[in-house]
Each structure stands twice: as structure tokens, then as C-alpha cells.
Amino acid sequence: IDTEGHELKCLMGLFSGINSSVIKYIQLESHNDDMYLQHEEEHAISDLLIKNGFLHCTKIKHGFGDFDELIYSKN
């Protein structure tokens, strides 16, 4: 998910609209420079994913810029 700061809204729509049991992994971009996500939103995303059965499994640091790819898997 790379929605330029709208990741939380995207995930909220996902979990309210479909049976998410078919989804095994979610990967989203996280900017560490607060370019998009506010600190509170980052926790809200993590909380929402945990509530829906996903656990953080890995983080991939990009070779440029100050951002990472966060990968969550269904437990």
C-alpha cells in the first residue's frame, strides 16, 4: 500500500468492506521523516492491523530516502 499518507483510511475501508481472511500479507510504506504519517496514525495503523489478525513480521529499509516497507502477515 503506497497511498501517499492515506494508508490508514485505505486499511479502514478494507477491513470494513470485504472478508479480509483471504489476505495473507500486507505491505505498506512508512516514512520516517513524518512526510506522510503522523506518529499517532502510525500507531493506529499497527493497532488496526493487529485487531484484524495481522502481525508485523519484517521491515525493509529503502536504499534511498528515509522510509521503510513494513510487512505484516496474517497469524
Side-chain angles (χ1 to χ4, degrees):
I1 300 171
D2 183 8
T3 54
E4 306 302 326
H6 301 284
E7 289 79 6
L8 179 59
K9 291 177 187 175
C10 182
L11 289 168
M12 290 171 68
L14 169 70
F15 292 126
S16 68
I18 67 165
N19 177 359
S20 63
S21 66
V22 298
I23 299 170
K24 302 296 181 204
Y25 296 95
I26 293 179
Q27 178 176 339
L28 60 97
E29 193 171 275
S30 174
H31 285 260
N32 301 315
D33 57 6
D34 291 331
M35 186 174 180
Y36 299 113
L37 290 177
Q38 298 299 322
H39 188 66
E40 298 81 27
E41 272 194 21
E42 191 171 343
H43 286 293
I45 287 172
S46 179
D47 292 347
L48 180 63
L49 288 167
I50 290 168
K51 177 182 171 187
N52 285 279
F54 288 85
L55 297 175
H56 180 257
C57 62
T58 194
K59 175 170 71 170
I60 302 168
K61 174 74 175 131
H62 276 264
F64 60 91
D66 192 16
F67 59 100
D68 305 309
E69 294 290 332
L70 305 177
I71 300 175
Y72 291 82
S73 65
K74 190 81 163 189
N75 43 320

